[in-house]
């Protein structure tokens, strides 16, 4: 009997092991969506297979662990003992990031399927990879097809089904499986038939330099951003020659370094001779440094097709930039794919500003991501008048083209916008959905811009031009610069950075010190009226000298 029992037990163990192996071999679904609706409903018809040998760049994102939302509530609650007890990058990884075991498993998975690792890290929650279409199809159990977009009149690639992976745990997202979305700049050119606005700037043709924005909104000299760093999200690289041309024409000296960071192997260069336009990228640098000329460095985080690769790098780079800005908008398959990074910024005391857009009030026909996310600081547009070149603020109205309104995609309203007195009959806001913007700054066609080494057709053969471009893409990096001043003061006093400022500025706006902290913009419209207090054209308004700095840096 004993031999038979032994054989029986061996058989049982073998069956259990086989079942375990089968279980582990079952492909795991991912936690976010990857299939474009237009490929499912036939709006974008299938036109052929993507060549198996074509090279693709993708970004695998691992999920954060449970408890992050509760942690964020605690550190942004002034009554909590954990208020502003932000985490370092390493602390965030240990508390909420993937385990070393899981991250190593993803690395092995990628290499086993023929991918080359090009970037990412456990701290950044991601792994950027390069491989062929065949590698992608095998690793993620998809077929990569070409589809035709009748609206853009272009072909794009996309998977035919939701990806799955042969790992014993779920991944969060894989960015780069399609190129349907074309990133757009929050930047517009003045119609040549429209007379340039009258300005009082210090740059050529009386246009505004970035330093004029500092004079208008800060009006001080003590704070320069010393010891701080600014991070810019860029879907294209830059040409430092254009930044240098700006400073030469403005008769100013740049002391901060401008450093390009390739987050996934994309080129950090953007040369007009090669057909690349760096207008947006140059604007972002000059406006951020105009407000905070003494920062140590401006980092441009570059990827041609991966928002998550840039966001991951911005959240883990050493030194960690606390002051972040984006002037680009795009359409991810699943907007929640960016949420772990926005939350990580908040947990680490980083402030992420996103331009609100330049088509007037938000409407459903356009893309408004990530500006309509409740997890970013959305920056609207104004028309600023100053007291003279390099002088202070005189008046401000809502810029007619500034983005803002009620979330067209029905993102839920955040708790700070639910506070009594924020949404009113006068401002026409929603009590259910995200309202934007949160803050604002000058965006009218009043700036001096240098770009494209004289090949920009809007500059008449010159490298620079005045009063031609406008957009909330000027306002967002200005705010990143302003927060650099705030963080400098906080650091000097031994205080914590303000981080994600939305939970703080809404109570401030409702308080007795509102007019000390903000310029309340009460005239003009972007489709929604500018009103007293908060509105959907200018948010709480623009920063008022060091009043807001003092309120935030404590």
């Amino acid at each position: 009997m004993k031999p038979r029992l032994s054989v029986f037990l061996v058989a049982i163990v073998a069956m259990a092991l086989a079942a375990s192996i089968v279980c582990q071999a079952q492909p795991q679904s991912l936690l976010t969506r990857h299939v474009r609706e237009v490929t499912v409903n036939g709006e974008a018809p299938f036109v052929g297979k993507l060549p198996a040998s074509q090279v693709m760049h993708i970004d695998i994102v691992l999920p954060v662990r449970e408890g992050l939302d509760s942690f964020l509530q605690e550190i942004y609650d002034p009554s909590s003992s954990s208020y502003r007890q932000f985490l370092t990058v390493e602390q965030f990884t240990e508390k909420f990031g993937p385990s070393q075991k899981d991250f190593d498993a993803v690395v092995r998975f990628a290499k086993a399927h023929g991918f080359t690792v090009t970037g990412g890290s456990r701290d950044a929650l991601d792994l950027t990879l390069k491989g062929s279409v065949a590698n992608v199809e095998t690793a993620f159990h998809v077929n990569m097809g070409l589809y035709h977009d009748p609206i853009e009149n272009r072909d794009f690639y996309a998977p035919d089904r939701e990806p799955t992976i042969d790992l014993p745990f779920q991944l969060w997202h894989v960015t780069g499986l399609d190129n349907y979305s074309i990133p757009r700049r929050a930047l517009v050119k003045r119609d040549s038939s429209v007379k340039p606005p009258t300005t009082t700037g210090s740059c050529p043709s009386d246009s505004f330099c970035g330093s004029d924005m500092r004079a208008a909104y800060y009006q001080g000299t003590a704070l320069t951003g010393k010891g701080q760093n600014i991070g810019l999200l860029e879907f294209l690289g830059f040409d430092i020659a254009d930044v240098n041309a700006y400073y030469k024409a403005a008769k100013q000296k740049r002391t901060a370094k401008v450093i390009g960071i390739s987050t996934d192997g994309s080129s950090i260069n953007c040369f007009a001779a090669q057909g690349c336009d760096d207008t947006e990228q140059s604007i972002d640098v000059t406006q951020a440094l105009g407000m905070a000329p003494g920062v140590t460095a401006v980092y441009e985080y570059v990827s041609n097709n991966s928002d998550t690769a840039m966001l991951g790098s911005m959240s883990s780079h050493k030194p960690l930039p606390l002051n972040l800005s984006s002037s680009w908008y795009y359409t991810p398959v699943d907007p929640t794919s960016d949420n772990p990074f926005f939350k990580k910024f908040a947990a680490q005391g980083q402030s992420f500003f996103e331009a609100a857009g330049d088509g007037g009030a938000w409407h459903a026909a356009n893309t408004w991501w990530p500006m309509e996310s409740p997890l970013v600081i959305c920056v609207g547009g104004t028309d600023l008048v100053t007291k003279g070149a390099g002088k202070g603020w005189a008046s401000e109205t809502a810029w007619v083209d500034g983005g803002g309104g009620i979330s067209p995609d029905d993102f839920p309203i955040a708790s700070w916008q639910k506070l009594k007195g924020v949404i009113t009959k006068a401002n026409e806001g929603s009590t259910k959905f995200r309202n934007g913007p949160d803050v604002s700054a000058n965006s009218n066609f009043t700036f001096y811009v240098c770009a494209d080494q004289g090949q920009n057709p809007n500059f008449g053969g010159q490298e620079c031009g005045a009063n031609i471009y406008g957009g909330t893409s000027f306002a967002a990096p200005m705010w990143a610069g302003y927060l650099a001043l705030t963080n400098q003061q906080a650091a000097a006093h031994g205080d914590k950075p303000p981080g994600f400022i939305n939970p703080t500025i809404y109570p401030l706006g409702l308080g007795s010190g509102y007019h000390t902290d903000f310029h309340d913009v009460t005239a003009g419209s972007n489709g929604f009226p500018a009103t007293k207090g908060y509105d959907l054209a200018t948010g709480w308004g623009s920063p008022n000298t060091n009043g807001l700095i003092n309120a935030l840096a404590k």
Side-chain angles (χ1 to χ4, degrees):
M1 295 296 293
K2 288 183 179 180
R4 288 183 182 180
L5 179 60
S6 177
V7 170
F8 178 73
L9 289 174
V10 169
I12 290 293
V13 170
M15 289 172 63
L17 285 172
S20 174
I21 291 170
V22 169
C23 238
Q24 289 183 17
Q26 290 294 323
Q28 293 273 359
S29 61
L30 277 73
L31 295 167
T32 49
R33 293 181 292 106
H34 295 75
V35 175
R36 295 280 178 182
E37 185 178 351
V38 293
T39 65
V40 176
N41 63 19
E43 182 181 333
F46 176 79
V47 296
K49 286 277 294 177
L50 197 61
S53 60
Q54 181 170 320
V55 175
M56 295 181 65
H57 295 266
I58 64 170
D59 186 36
I60 293 180
V61 182
L62 287 83
V64 294
R65 280 179 269 168
E66 292 183 2
L68 180 54
D69 289 344
S70 297
F71 176 78
L72 291 175
Q73 289 179 354
E74 285 291 313
I75 63 172
Y76 284 97
D77 179 359
S79 66
S80 170
S81 59
S82 300
Y83 183 55
R84 291 189 179 178
Q85 297 301 307
F86 299 120
L87 301 176
T88 65
V89 173
E90 293 78 13
Q91 287 171 337
F92 182 93
T93 300
E94 291 307 310
K95 193 175 182 69
F96 298 114
S99 67
Q100 188 67 58
K101 178 182 176 182
D102 285 356
F103 186 79
D104 291 343
V106 174
V107 173
R108 290 193 300 271
F109 166 84
K111 291 181 177 179
H113 285 87
F115 290 102
T116 300
V117 177
T118 59
S121 67
R122 180 179 167 223
D123 284 338
L125 307 176
D126 75 331
L127 194 69
T128 60
L129 308 172
K130 180 175 73 172
S132 68
V133 168
N135 296 144
V136 169
E137 291 182 329
T138 302
F140 300 105
H141 307 294
V142 297
N143 294 310
M144 296 299 301
L146 283 170
Y147 300 83
H148 185 72
D149 181 359
I151 297 176
E152 296 281 353
N153 192 26
R154 58 182 281 267
D155 291 342
F156 65 94
Y157 60 79
D160 67 335
R161 68 196 72 183
E162 288 295 336
T164 54
I165 48 142
D166 298 318
L167 284 169
F169 54 87
Q170 289 180 290
L171 296 177
W172 178 252
H173 192 73
V174 179
T175 307
L177 291 183
D178 76 82
N179 65 341
Y180 173 73
S181 174
I182 301 175
R184 314 281 186 183
R185 304 165 177 85
L187 181 68
V188 286
K189 175 184 171 292
R190 175 179 54 81
D191 192 310
S192 58
S193 65
V194 177
K195 185 179 179 181
T198 301
T199 54
T200 54
S202 303
C203 267
S205 300
D206 297 324
S207 58
F208 283 135
C209 299
S211 57
D212 289 309
M213 299 299 94
R214 173 180 167 85
Y217 292 132
Y218 172 50
Q219 296 187 24
T221 58
L223 298 173
T224 63
K226 183 178 180 181
Q228 296 294 311
N229 296 286
I230 294 174
L232 304 173
L233 181 148
E234 306 289 1
F235 276 99
L236 288 170
F238 65 100
D239 185 350
I240 194 63
D242 291 316
V243 174
N244 293 337
Y246 169 90
Y247 278 93
K248 181 178 179 180
K251 298 180 181 179
Q252 297 176 1
K253 183 179 180 181
R254 172 176 61 86
T255 58
K257 298 177 182 178
V258 181
I259 302 171
I261 304 292
S262 176
T263 63
D264 63 353
S266 298
S267 175
I268 62 171
N269 298 316
C270 179
F271 300 134
Q274 299 174 0
C276 188
D277 175 14
D278 75 336
T279 305
E280 179 60 67
Q281 302 87 294
S282 296
I283 287 169
D284 292 344
V285 172
T286 57
Q287 294 306 306
L289 288 180
M291 186 65 72
V295 299
T296 302
V298 172
Y299 293 96
E300 298 207 49
Y301 296 88
V302 180
S303 170
N304 295 150
N305 72 338
S306 180
D307 51 328
T308 57
M310 290 184 284
L311 295 171
S313 185
M314 296 169 88
S315 76
S316 58
H317 187 252
K318 294 183 179 181
L320 185 70
L322 297 180
N323 319 284
L324 308 174
S325 172
S326 165
S327 297
W328 299 77
Y329 55 105
Y330 46 93
T331 313
V333 186
D334 188 338
T336 64
S337 59
D338 289 339
N339 286 355
F341 301 104
F342 296 150
K343 293 177 181 180
K344 188 168 187 272
F345 292 153
Q348 295 175 169
Q350 295 173 282
S351 306
F352 184 86
F353 295 92
E354 174 64 41
D358 313 300
W362 296 337
H363 48 86
N366 280 22
T367 297
W368 305 112
W369 183 263
M371 56 273 281
E372 63 173 318
S373 169
L375 298 172
V376 306
I377 309 160
C378 181
V379 185
T382 67
D383 181 7
L384 171 70
V385 177
T386 69
K387 295 177 180 178
K391 295 185 179 180
W393 183 94
S395 66
E396 210 162 3
T397 57
W399 185 47
V400 65
D401 293 321
I406 300 168
S407 168
D409 296 298
D410 296 343
F411 286 98
I413 190 170
S415 59
W416 43 89
Q417 288 194 333
K418 290 182 179 180
L419 296 174
K420 185 178 180 180
V422 174
I423 303 303
T424 65
K425 184 177 180 180
N427 64 34
E428 303 175 14
S430 172
T431 57
K432 294 182 179 180
F433 304 117
R434 202 293 196 226
N435 301 273
D438 301 302
V439 295
S440 56
N442 185 42
S443 302
N444 202 3
F445 305 100
T446 51
F447 293 96
Y448 193 65
V449 176
C450 299
D452 300 337
Q453 287 288 283
Q455 296 188 38
N456 188 314
N458 299 311
F459 294 161
Q462 303 299 310
E463 190 169 1
C464 306
N467 306 316
I468 296 172
Y469 284 105
T472 51
S473 62
F474 288 90
M478 272 188 236
W479 267 94
Y482 187 83
L483 255 288
L485 307 182
T486 305
N487 282 317
Q488 178 191 357
Q489 178 166 305
H493 294 168
D495 295 322
K496 299 291 185 180
F500 181 45
I501 65 173
N502 283 1
T504 303
I505 61 174
Y506 280 80
L508 286 177
L510 296 170
S512 59
Y514 170 46
H515 292 284
T516 300
D517 303 334
F518 288 95
H519 298 294
D520 185 10
V521 183
T522 60
S525 169
N526 67 346
F528 284 91
T531 64
K532 290 183 178 180
Y534 179 81
D535 59 65
L536 283 65
T538 65
W540 289 109
S542 60
N544 188 355
T545 62
N546 65 345
L548 184 59
I549 291 173
N550 293 335
L552 292 174
K554 64 180 182 180

